[in-house]
Amino acid sequence: MSVTMCQTMGFIVSALGFAGIIAATGLDMWSTQDLYDNPVTAVYQYQGLWRSCVRQSSGFTECRPYFTILGLPAMFQAVRALMIVGIVLGAIGLLIAIFALKCIRIGNMEDTAKANITLTSGVLFIVAGLCSIIGVSVFANMLVTNFWMTTSSMYTGGAISGMGGMGGLQTLQTRYTFGSALFVGWVAGGIALIGGVMMCIACRGLMPEETTYKAVSYHVSAKSPGYKTSAYEEKSKKSIYNESRKSEDGKGYPSKYDYV
């Protein structure tokens, strides 16, 4: 798989995960009414992070937002915060990942800068996916705890009623189970995590290869005529001038170098 293909696929997968996180945060079906003991009901209730809804058998649905913040449980607010942080980090990662794509040229941006931006966006997508997975898991843990607490109170109340001679009637209470938004959040977080890993892998291929040169030492030979000093050249010039001043009978004439 080439670097460009890995980077592009990581970008697309991360974008899908980011869209899934947004969808999961906005959905209302984080917890739905359990119909195990009461399959036929005129009212069906489900809740989300921002409002609770009631759907009647006639098809009419009424939703009511939560008008309080401090009145909500601390874990519920923590889930909200995790999902919002995941959306913000995913948006930042998606924005900077566009400029890091190798198929897009922006000015004279070098491959090293693109590699660093790709790595940053990949880390942001990984953290965004982890925030989504952790937030959904915390909410699911809350549902499981409340479900078993409600179930135990129902059967405990039924046993007390049976001891009173009422035939062991159970106390009817509303129990909530997993909604579709939880599964969307889990899948979206996993997809964003995979996309971030692919972006980080593509970062290594975008880094330019470092060229290493072997150090070579050159030793100048004293016998080599190509490496003569300036003093030697000056002496050679004087010899040439002295030889040129000699006559044919072997006598030499004084030159300007004889008086220096």
Side-chain angles (χ1 to χ4, degrees):
M1 182 183 296
S2 63
V3 177
T4 305
M5 181 64 67
C6 182
Q7 186 187 35
T8 306
M9 290 299 298
F11 175 78
I12 295 174
V13 172
S14 301
L16 292 176
F18 171 67
I21 294 174
I22 296 177
T25 306
L27 287 176
D28 294 326
M29 288 191 175
W30 279 67
S31 60
T32 58
Q33 183 179 353
D34 183 35
L35 302 177
Y36 177 74
D37 292 333
N38 191 15
V40 179
T41 179
V43 178
Y44 178 71
Q45 301 178 10
Y46 54 92
Q47 299 176 352
L49 293 179
W50 313 103
R51 59 183 183 174
S52 60
C53 300
V54 176
R55 185 175 63 193
Q56 300 179 359
S57 57
S58 60
F60 178 76
T61 303
E62 181 181 0
C63 295
R64 183 176 182 273
Y66 304 122
F67 293 105
T68 180
I69 296 178
L70 299 178
L72 297 173
M75 297 299 293
F76 190 85
Q77 296 183 13
V79 172
R80 278 182 168 184
L82 284 172
M83 299 304 294
I84 292 175
V85 169
I87 292 175
V88 172
L89 294 179
I92 297 174
L94 188 66
L95 181 63
I96 65 175
I98 297 176
F99 300 98
L101 292 176
K102 195 173 182 180
C103 56
I104 298 178
R105 277 291 177 185
I106 301 177
N108 295 326
M109 184 179 295
E110 299 180 355
D111 291 339
T112 305
K114 283 183 173 290
N116 294 331
I117 296 176
T118 302
L119 179 61
T120 304
S121 62
V123 171
L124 290 176
F125 283 129
I126 291 175
V127 176
L130 289 177
C131 288
S132 176
I133 294 174
I134 293 173
V136 174
S137 300
V138 170
F139 192 90
N141 182 64
M142 293 171 54
L143 284 179
V144 171
T145 303
N146 294 333
F147 181 87
W148 290 114
M149 289 179 62
T150 305
T151 303
S152 62
S153 63
M154 287 172 57
Y155 285 99
T156 301
I160 295 175
S161 299
M163 293 175 63
M166 296 299 294
L169 296 177
Q170 297 180 1
T171 304
L172 295 179
Q173 295 184 9
T174 303
R175 298 183 303 182
Y176 292 92
T177 184
F178 294 170
S180 58
L182 295 182
F183 302 100
V184 174
W186 273 319
V187 174
I191 291 176
L193 185 64
I194 294 173
V197 172
M198 294 179 67
M199 295 286 285
C200 292
I201 294 175
C203 166
R204 300 190 59 177
L206 292 174
M207 293 295 292
E209 297 182 358
E210 297 182 358
T211 306
T212 57
Y213 298 94
K214 296 182 179 180
V216 180
S217 59
Y218 296 93
H219 300 281
V220 180
S221 177
K223 298 181 179 180
S224 176
Y227 296 92
K228 300 296 184 180
T229 60
S230 58
Y232 179 81
E233 293 177 356
E234 191 68 23
K235 185 177 179 180
S236 300
K237 290 180 180 179
K238 291 181 180 181
S239 300
I240 293 172
Y241 279 108
N242 290 334
E243 292 293 334
S244 62
R245 300 292 298 176
K246 291 182 178 181
S247 61
E248 295 179 356
D249 56 357
K251 296 181 178 180
Y253 296 92
S255 62
K256 64 178 180 179
Y257 293 99
D258 295 337
Y259 303 100
V260 179

